[in-house]
Amino acid sequence: MSLLSQAKPRRGTAFRPSRNSRRAGTGRLAAALLSPSLIVLGLVVGYPVLAACRLSFVVSNETIDPQTGFKVTATSYGLDNYAAVFTGDRFLRPWWNTTSFALASVAVEVLIGVAMALVMHQAFRGRALVRAAILVPWAIPTAISGLLWKWIFNSQGVANELLGARVLWSSEGFQAWLSVVIADTWKTAPFIGLLVLAGLQIIPGELYEAARVDGASTWYAFRRITLPLVRPALVVAVLFRLLDVLRMFDLPYVLVGPRKHSVETLSMIAFEEMSNLRFGTAAAYATVLFLYIAAVAFAFVKLFGADLIGRGTRSSP
Amino acid sequence: MVSSSHTSRRRAGSRAATKAATVGRRPAWAVAVVAASLATTLVGCGGDSSEPAADSPGKFSGRGPITLATGKDTTGTIQEQLDRWNSEHPNEKVTLVELPESADQQRQQFIQNAQTKSDAYTVLNLDPIWVAEFAANQWIDELPAGQFPLDKMLPAVVMTGEYFGKQYAIPYNTNAGLLFYRQDLLDKAGVQPPTTWDDMKDACAAVAKLPEGKDVDCYAGQFDKYEGLTVNFSEAVASAGGTVVDAEGRATVDTEEAKKGLQFLTDGFKDGTFPEEASTYQEEDGRRAFQAGKLLFHRQWPYQWALANAKDGSSKVAGKFGVAPLPGLDGPGKSSLGGLDLAVSKFAKNKATALDFIKFFSSEANARTNLKVNSAAPPYAGLYDDPALRRQFPYLATLKESLSGAVPRPVVVQYGDATAAIQESAAAALSGSKSVDAALADMQRDLSAAIAEK
């Protein structure tokens, strides 16, 4: 975003760069070319973030006029909304749900997604069909897949029929948490599979041939060739999924329902507060969630060096 | 994500981790924040509602085109009625604005419309539980009650449109719970439809002894943690002679009557009168169980009548069941009221037209059509005694009985908080994680807080 601070180029400079100002000219051209998308991003991402941040400091006090029954609202600025978030009993549990969903779902999705990618990468009859079939869950909107799984996990549904048990999936408890993880994994493992497949396809075959000549086992080749070379793609996929799960709202909301403590996430609490017209508290929850996600993303980028800008490792010769 | 620069080529197999985030004057935090902001969607609704100027009630002026905002018109009946109005009033046409099917989403849209002070919705078709909230926030106008045939309507139903003693909404239709029971099994066991909870348990015991009654559970309602639980809990309390919120608007759930009501529900799960999965039932789950012949008694809205009587094989109990008013502690119980009420948005134009349209739209003739086509219960008392309608809907007599004793759900401005407080404690008591006394003490505290808006 440092590009924005550069002066706008005079007309024409971008097209006739003198030799010594070449770099600056390129920078200015880049800034000019990028400015429309930066302005759009600023409007659709930056402004709502700032607006929500401001709103989270707006404290409203509401009373009912005893004569008319009308609501009287007084607003001031303060930290009360944040105090309400951190001192209330509705922060730790949703925070833990949000975090545990992220850890569990993403871990399982990586394993299944990589396996899917390896299968899709093989040359065999009907490979195109398998690729298309694996992608179907990813193509279905989350709310719809939530409904599908709600039917499956119904007390009289398919899951109980297959298990031969009477598990009450939508009641409070570990089983509700598990049902969300299962549905989320089903939906998004293909996404990881797809990104990893893209990574697999740019690994040159000669490497494997060389490994075979050197007498490396399949497992050894997978560990020493496939994994390191697919890593950049995998890290980006995992980061995207992590950010996605941390703000999860629709799946637990549709599948299990609102205000169920076992699956309530921070987004759901923010939504709940908003539906009850406590916009300040809702914005405070949303801001806390935003900072948490930013911190996780920062830690992840630091630890694994996710190549988001696309100038990192390149393995093609 | 493959870059076009060949400068950073690396040997395959070497440690591939590039600190990409630190390349080119972009620190890691910037990348992280951008990634996070792309992944986070924040709702930036304006929340600082300023005080609108007090409008004197009864100022309904202006004629011209208006809109009707209501839930999905599934059968096309509403559009037909609008067409009739529009042909008679070419200069005051009414346009139908269809809202989502889920009640929560409808409320969201109504509130968004009110907060932006938009005139997009003129006449609002509201769930009665929102009337207090909309009136208190001054999103809807007080209506001239004298201009409507409210005396022909059931008094309890008219009450749902009142707030602080003034009429803010006119009943469009209504709804009350009925006890669906398996006539064939009761006849076999030689028992009458029950009027008290004890009778109902005795009837279940008698049917359980029959060979046909072996796999039939006793009773279910709507016990999942959602609005239906508030309905069923309020019914249990009212049927034991208590109230959830009294006439002065104070929470009253730490009373003996409320304890007896909740005790009936918790005991039902404890002693197996209610099947375990009933704790997850919403309307449709229970309907499936009843239609599969798995339930002897079922607390349900009247819509189940037609579906459970379907002769296409979807229902195993077609023609084998009857309906009765809900049972109570010492005699017939009291149902919660459902339904829909019509109100006028404060921010709308052409309010004179809106008033005339509500008179037409909520008229007895239209209520009759709505009953015939959608089996929507009319607010007009007279229609329940109409012989032709009674032939078509044999349950009307029972429904009238249920409606005349029905109680509105608690009138609370912050209804969302009130219903959450009720559901929270009731669910804890039903699952056994809290005792009845502890659950009601907590409910009293939370409900009082929701009423006091603190």
Side-chain angles (χ1 to χ4, degrees):
Chain A
M1 313 308 109
S2 50
L3 295 172
L4 268 183
S5 56
Q6 300 201 0
K8 279 190 73 168
R10 285 199 316 279
R11 248 184 37 187
T13 48
F15 305 104
R16 290 195 309 276
S18 65
R19 212 170 305 160
N20 53 7
S21 68
R22 183 167 184 148
R23 300 226 22 192
T26 316
R28 275 205 291 271
L29 173 67
L33 289 176
L34 279 175
S35 58
S37 33
L38 287 178
I39 288 166
V40 169
L41 274 181
L43 283 176
V44 299
V45 178
Y47 171 73
V49 169
L50 292 176
C53 222
R54 187 194 70 93
L55 190 57
S56 68
F57 293 103
V58 176
V59 183
S60 36
N61 237 326
E62 286 167 344
T63 46
I64 300 275
D65 183 320
Q67 255 63 53
T68 57
F70 294 149
K71 218 187 239 184
V72 184
T73 309
T75 54
S76 57
Y77 282 86
L79 291 169
D80 301 30
N81 296 328
Y82 287 96
V85 168
F86 290 113
T87 58
D89 50 357
R90 297 181 70 203
F91 179 74
L92 273 183
R93 185 68 202 261
W95 173 82
W96 171 241
N97 285 341
T98 305
T99 310
S100 61
F101 279 143
L103 293 173
S105 307
V106 174
V108 178
E109 280 156 23
V110 166
L111 291 176
I112 297 178
V114 170
M116 280 179 172
L118 290 171
V119 168
M120 288 192 278
H121 192 48
Q122 301 307 318
F124 57 88
R125 226 178 242 269
R127 181 169 75 160
L129 194 72
V130 170
R131 279 187 188 183
I134 281 180
L135 278 178
V136 167
W138 177 244
I140 297 175
T142 312
I144 307 292
S145 68
L147 274 178
L148 288 174
W149 283 95
K150 191 187 168 92
W151 279 93
I152 292 171
F153 286 127
N154 186 291
S155 57
Q156 307 156 41
V158 179
N160 282 353
E161 202 69 34
L162 289 175
L163 292 168
R166 293 172 94 182
V167 182
L168 301 178
W169 295 95
S170 63
S171 63
E172 291 284 1
F174 174 71
Q175 71 279 8
W177 181 90
L178 189 65
S179 72
V180 173
V181 171
I182 292 172
D184 191 55
T185 304
W186 174 83
K187 180 176 160 50
T188 50
F191 168 76
I192 294 197
L194 192 69
L195 286 185
V196 171
L197 177 65
L200 284 176
Q201 303 214 317
I202 56 170
I203 301 177
E206 297 91 346
L207 287 175
Y208 292 104
E209 285 165 24
R212 253 208 314 279
V213 169
D214 292 344
S217 68
T218 317
W219 170 240
Y220 194 80
F222 174 74
R223 251 186 24 193
R224 302 307 291 271
I225 300 173
T226 314
L227 274 186
L229 289 178
V230 106
R231 184 193 150 118
L234 186 60
V235 163
V236 168
V238 169
L239 177 62
F240 277 21
R241 279 305 306 144
L242 209 55
L243 304 183
D244 246 349
V245 182
L246 284 173
R247 61 178 176 83
M248 183 154 65
F249 167 83
D250 40 9
L251 188 61
Y253 189 88
V254 174
L255 179 58
V256 185
R259 288 196 308 280
K260 301 257 173 97
H261 303 296
S262 337
V263 297
E264 197 164 39
T265 63
L266 284 170
S267 301
M268 287 165 87
I269 299 262
F271 178 80
E272 181 78 16
E273 290 294 303
M274 192 190 72
S275 346
N276 289 323
L277 307 181
R278 282 188 294 275
F279 296 100
T281 332
Y285 271 109
T287 308
V288 168
L289 174 64
F290 172 72
L291 292 175
Y292 178 52
I293 292 181
V296 169
F298 175 71
F300 192 88
V301 170
K302 270 281 185 229
L303 279 172
F304 298 100
D307 183 9
L308 288 174
I309 307 159
R311 54 164 89 191
T313 53
R314 283 179 34 79
S315 40
S316 53
Chain B
M1 284 275 177
V2 178
S3 95
S4 55
S5 91
H6 284 260
T7 51
S8 55
R9 194 187 302 170
R10 272 174 186 70
R11 260 205 5 257
S14 71
R15 285 193 57 241
T18 35
K19 290 277 180 287
T22 54
V23 171
R25 287 172 304 155
R26 279 185 199 77
W29 65 264
V31 176
V33 165
V34 171
S37 59
L38 285 172
T40 322
T41 45
L42 289 173
V43 190
C45 270
D48 0 11
S49 50
S50 54
E51 197 58 39
D55 206 339
S56 58
K59 237 179 54 182
F60 289 89
S61 55
R63 293 191 170 276
I66 59 167
T67 60
L68 164 71
T70 178
K72 266 209 151 10
D73 178 19
T74 43
T75 51
T77 338
I78 296 181
Q79 192 56 57
E80 278 171 26
Q81 289 167 357
L82 295 193
D83 291 344
R84 206 166 70 237
W85 165 274
N86 290 343
S87 65
E88 288 166 16
H89 306 81
N91 299 327
E92 301 174 71
K93 279 205 161 66
V94 180
T95 317
L96 177 66
V97 180
E98 278 196 343
L99 300 175
E101 240 169 306
S102 115
D104 286 346
Q105 289 177 2
Q106 288 176 27
R107 179 173 161 273
Q108 292 286 346
Q109 298 221 358
F110 284 134
I111 289 179
Q112 273 173 19
N113 181 71
Q115 292 225 312
T116 53
K117 297 191 170 50
S118 156
D119 59 0
Y121 303 165
T122 317
V123 176
L124 316 177
N125 211 354
L126 300 176
D127 193 315
I129 54 183
W130 307 328
V131 170
E133 177 179 34
F134 280 53
N137 281 299
Q138 300 186 59
W139 294 335
I140 52 179
D141 282 322
E142 185 197 334
L143 299 173
Q147 297 184 25
F148 294 89
L150 298 179
D151 52 338
K152 286 191 180 170
M153 296 185 180
L154 296 155
V157 178
V158 176
M159 284 272 295
T160 61
E162 274 181 26
Y163 177 69
F164 264 68
K166 297 179 181 131
Q167 201 75 32
Y168 282 89
I170 304 297
Y172 168 65
N173 62 33
T174 181
N175 217 345
L178 299 171
L179 183 73
F180 283 71
Y181 60 87
R182 289 284 300 279
Q183 186 77 58
D184 54 336
L185 294 177
L186 289 190
D187 288 348
K188 262 220 166 59
V191 283
Q192 287 301 312
T195 55
T196 68
W197 293 331
D198 287 342
D199 288 354
M200 188 168 83
K201 286 189 180 174
D202 295 345
C204 289
V207 168
K209 292 195 184 90
L210 301 172
E212 302 91 335
K214 203 161 51 72
D215 293 330
V216 183
D217 287 310
C218 177
Y219 173 88
Q222 292 77 40
F223 300 125
D224 189 20
K225 194 174 170 186
Y226 78 123
E227 187 58 35
L229 182 56
T230 302
V231 169
N232 279 254
F233 168 81
S234 309
E235 278 170 0
V237 171
S239 301
T243 54
V244 176
V245 173
D246 66 8
E248 274 74 59
R250 286 187 304 253
T252 52
V253 286
D254 55 354
T255 57
E256 268 319 299
E257 292 83 3
K259 280 196 180 101
K260 283 178 183 151
L262 186 57
Q263 198 71 52
F264 158 68
L265 298 180
T266 50
D267 287 354
F269 280 106
K270 252 195 219 117
D271 62 21
T273 310
F274 310 162
E276 203 187 338
E277 55 257 40
S279 68
T280 65
Y281 278 6
Q282 299 192 0
E283 279 87 351
E284 287 293 272
D285 304 305
R287 182 172 73 83
R288 276 195 298 275
F290 186 76
Q291 289 184 185
K294 288 185 193 161
L295 284 175
L296 180 58
F297 295 110
H298 186 210
R299 181 263 169 234
Q300 179 64 296
W301 306 101
Y303 85 99
Q304 181 167 289
W305 175 273
L307 293 163
N309 262 325
K311 299 278 192 285
D312 58 2
S314 61
S315 172
K316 288 185 185 164
V317 296
K320 295 184 191 165
F321 65 88
V323 291
L326 299 176
L329 181 64
D330 310 315
K334 286 184 180 323
S335 165
S336 291
L337 274 175
L340 285 168
D341 290 351
L342 295 162
V344 177
S345 163
K346 182 167 219 77
F347 313 105
K349 294 194 179 84
N350 303 328
K351 288 185 186 176
T353 300
L355 209 57
D356 287 353
F357 171 71
I358 291 182
K359 283 173 201 165
F360 157 83
F361 197 55
S362 65
S363 67
E364 193 163 345
N366 278 341
R368 179 188 290 267
T369 312
N370 293 337
L371 171 62
K372 277 185 177 161
V373 180
N374 306 329
S375 58
Y380 292 94
L383 291 179
Y384 290 88
D385 308 319
D386 183 302
L389 288 172
R390 278 204 175 189
R391 266 197 303 282
Q392 193 187 345
F393 301 102
Y395 62 83
L396 275 187
T398 313
L399 182 57
K400 186 184 183 181
E401 215 175 317
S402 181
L403 278 167
S404 48
V407 282
R409 271 168 283 173
V411 178
V412 179
V413 173
Q414 283 286 35
Y415 185 80
D417 292 329
T419 188
I422 292 171
Q423 290 169 36
E424 195 62 47
S425 294
L430 293 190
S431 67
S433 62
K434 271 186 195 165
S435 71
V436 168
D437 288 3
L440 288 176
D442 292 350
M443 194 190 295
Q444 176 73 17
R445 184 196 61 215
D446 298 343
L447 193 54
S448 301
I451 291 169
E453 295 240 4
K454 288 286 173 285

